[in-house]
Amino acid sequence: MAATSMKVLCLTTAALVGQVACSVVEDIQEGRVGKNKLEVVLAHYNEDLGWSDKFAPVRTVYCKGQSCPTDSTQLSNVGREGHTFLWHLVHHYDDLADWTVFSQGEEPSEGYFGKGRGGGHLLNGVTFEDYLEPHGDSKFLMSSKVHLPTLAHSLRSTFKVSPDDDEDLLGTTDASHSCPAGGTDAWGPYKAQLWLSDFLSQKCGVETAAISEALRVFWEDTLDMPLPPGNVVHFSQGARFAVSRERLHQRPRSFYESLLSMLESEDDSCFSYIYEWAWYYIAGKPVEAPCKLDVQEATGDLEEIEEAERILSRWTDNVKGGISGGISGGGGGGSYKSPEIEWVGKA
């Protein structure tokens, strides 16, 4: 679908009835835009979905909780939102909407303050409605980036990490920019995430020192792509994004089936977290990174990342034993094997 088709439809209809303009939401509610053009896919557990009722005509709900809406499809409670999104792609590969918005069921709000502490993953100044308008072949509003060898993270300055953050100091995100536009909308410094190394080690069943190599194997073998430039992955925290059918069809159904199989045996699989980083690269097969690297990233001359590497090296030197074997459950759950690392569940 052309990026302006829904807007043209709206403006044309408005002109015919003597209105100045209308919104995509009005087009949805008045039946001018149906699920063949736009679909909102929600991964629901027990959240209140009242916020999404205005999108009901184009809404598809997959429920994994105890109290499922009557119009929802119930799925097994495995694999978090990644399983839900991939289930949709596999089972509706041939009848995908022109433009599909994927989101968790929690009401969108600004920032993220930690599990159970609030925040619906929006960048400051962005609304859920911004995802409904087609923009090129996809809409990923990047809030974070991770340096895969060290797991050091950088946050976008317009992403709240505390309810007390001063919105005036945060700045406002231009929803037409996937990446920071400059000024007060910029990337913050990289920070080491030592807890994340330990977390992934336990979740993925891989020794801490082997995580970087395991991620490389995942990228090159499972995603069938080279590592991103500078080994830097840009992603949207909270896994909210929108993609055109044409881009989704750059991957065969079998690719999505393979990724889905790696989530089907565990409720909280290691891959659930890795997929959140990788959706830009999973949803289609982009030929370039979503955001430009700065000079330091492009050349690898990053003092802060080098320091993170030194910290990680000192920390892993003190880790005795580590975790080996694989993730419990077997089958399509996915695991690493050591010392020769490979993904179980790859097609």
Side-chain angles (χ1 to χ4, degrees):
M1 178 176 60
T4 57
S5 61
M6 284 196 289
K7 186 176 290 185
V8 168
L9 172 63
C10 184
L11 292 174
T12 302
T13 305
L16 290 174
V17 297
Q19 297 175 343
V20 176
C22 59
S23 69
V24 175
V25 175
E26 288 174 326
D27 275 342
I28 292 170
Q29 293 174 342
E30 295 176 18
R32 293 187 291 269
V33 170
K35 273 191 177 180
N36 63 322
K37 293 187 176 295
L38 170 67
E39 187 167 17
V40 175
V41 172
L42 298 181
H44 176 252
Y45 183 61
N46 288 326
E47 305 91 348
D48 182 355
L49 294 180
W51 65 271
S52 67
D53 287 346
K54 57 187 172 183
F55 314 121
V58 298
R59 180 182 62 189
T60 295
V61 177
Y62 295 101
C63 177
K64 296 181 177 180
Q66 291 79 40
S67 301
C68 294
T70 56
D71 62 345
S72 67
T73 297
Q74 190 157 9
L75 300 178
S76 299
N77 187 21
V78 295
R80 303 169 67 93
E81 77 280 339
H83 173 270
T84 299
F85 298 165
L86 288 164
W87 196 97
H88 180 82
L89 290 173
V90 167
H91 290 83
H92 293 279
Y93 188 85
D94 293 327
D95 60 349
L96 292 169
D98 291 345
W99 185 256
T100 303
V101 182
F102 296 90
S103 181
Q104 297 178 7
E106 182 179 9
E107 182 173 7
S109 60
E110 292 175 342
Y112 182 64
F113 317 135
K115 186 175 181 179
R117 295 196 293 270
H121 301 287
L122 288 174
L123 289 160
N124 193 33
V126 173
T127 68
F128 186 82
E129 284 78 356
D130 289 322
Y131 288 87
L132 304 181
E133 289 276 6
H135 182 79
D137 67 1
S138 63
K139 194 171 194 68
F140 286 84
L141 296 177
M142 302 303 182
S143 56
S144 305
K145 55 183 176 178
V146 56
H147 179 245
L148 290 181
T150 62
L151 301 184
H153 275 59
S154 167
L155 278 176
R156 193 166 176 171
S157 61
T158 55
F159 189 74
K160 277 187 174 183
V161 295
S162 166
D164 300 325
D165 282 347
D166 188 326
E167 293 190 11
D168 292 333
L169 294 178
L170 282 174
T172 301
T173 309
D174 183 340
S176 66
H177 286 80
S178 293
C179 308
T184 58
D185 184 9
W187 289 116
Y190 279 96
K191 295 184 179 180
Q193 306 289 329
L194 298 185
W195 69 269
L196 185 56
S197 299
D198 189 38
F199 177 82
L200 287 179
S201 173
Q202 295 183 53
K203 276 287 178 189
C204 302
V206 60
E207 293 179 1
T208 305
I211 290 174
S212 176
E213 173 64 8
L215 289 171
R216 183 195 64 78
V217 171
F218 170 78
W219 222 267
E220 294 180 352
D221 290 3
T222 305
L223 296 189
D224 190 27
M225 300 182 75
L227 285 167
N231 294 322
V232 174
V233 172
H234 299 84
F235 67 101
S236 301
Q237 276 203 28
R240 180 179 296 115
F241 54 93
V243 193
S244 70
R245 181 180 63 244
E246 288 78 8
R247 173 162 164 162
L248 290 169
H249 279 176
Q250 291 171 3
R251 300 280 200 175
R253 190 202 304 262
S254 59
F255 170 77
Y256 300 119
E257 288 174 335
S258 176
L259 294 183
L260 178 63
S261 74
M262 296 163 76
L263 296 176
E264 288 188 320
S265 67
E266 295 186 73
D267 60 352
D268 195 26
S269 167
C270 153
F271 295 104
S272 301
Y273 300 90
I274 296 173
Y275 288 2
E276 184 174 348
W277 294 346
W279 278 114
Y280 177 82
Y281 308 89
I282 291 172
K285 202 166 186 180
V287 297
E288 58 185 18
C291 303
K292 292 182 179 179
L293 301 185
D294 60 31
V295 175
Q296 289 77 17
E297 287 174 324
T299 60
D301 182 21
L302 276 170
E303 290 185 4
E304 52 209 357
I305 286 183
E306 290 171 358
E307 176 60 17
E309 287 177 327
R310 288 192 290 270
I311 293 171
L312 183 61
S313 177
R314 291 196 300 270
W315 184 70
T316 54
D317 285 345
N318 293 324
V319 175
K320 303 298 182 182
I323 299 171
S324 61
I327 299 174
S328 61
S335 66
Y336 290 119
K337 289 184 178 179
S338 182
E340 182 180 39
I341 299 170
E342 66 178 78
W343 288 102
V344 176
K346 180 181 177 294

